[in-house]
Amino acid sequence: MLRRASRLLFEIAVLIAFWWVGGWIATRTGLPLPGGVIGLALLLVLFACGAIRPALLQGGAGVLLAEMLLFFIPALMSLLDYGPLLRSEGWKILLVITASTVLVMLATALAVEWMCHWRSRHESR
């Protein structure tokens, strides 16, 4: 039990370190990207070149994903301060959220489909 907890803490610490390094890079270079995006890109590069296996961070990522709602509660509570804006422009905001969600889902589906085809072609060789 203690070993599993320490492993999860280590995995979460590694993920936080990538986020922190990404933020540092964004600050130092002035890139108009959030540090989390840069950190995830760094992690993706390390996964792609085989320096880190995704299974090594799977447990920590699973814990963070399972508790994702906790990260959004402050953002949801701040919506209470913008009631008049939501009443007047809410339909536009909802339209943008819906369209962007559909586009993200479509892009993800196409990327997964492409990767499955690519993998099956390369495994058959």
Side-chain angles (χ1 to χ4, degrees), residues 9 16 21 46 66 68 78 83-84 91 103:
L9 286 175
I16 289 171
V21 168
L46 290 175
M68 190 177 282
S78 68
W91 69 273
L103 288 174

Side-chain angles (χ1 to χ4, degrees), residues 85-96:
L85 174 68
L86 290 176
R87 281 190 284 284
S88 65
E89 304 293 330
W91 69 273
K92 292 178 186 175
I93 295 169
L94 186 60
L95 180 66
V96 168

Side-chain angles (χ1 to χ4, degrees), residues 65-107:
L65 286 173
E67 304 303 327
M68 190 177 282
L69 181 60
L70 292 176
F71 299 115
F72 290 107
I73 287 176
L76 292 175
M77 295 307 291
S78 68
L79 285 178
L80 297 176
D81 296 335
Y82 298 101
L85 174 68
L86 290 176
R87 281 190 284 284
S88 65
E89 304 293 330
W91 69 273
K92 292 178 186 175
I93 295 169
L94 186 60
L95 180 66
V96 168
I97 290 171
T98 303
S100 62
T101 300
V102 168
L103 288 174
V104 166
M105 291 171 66
L106 182 62

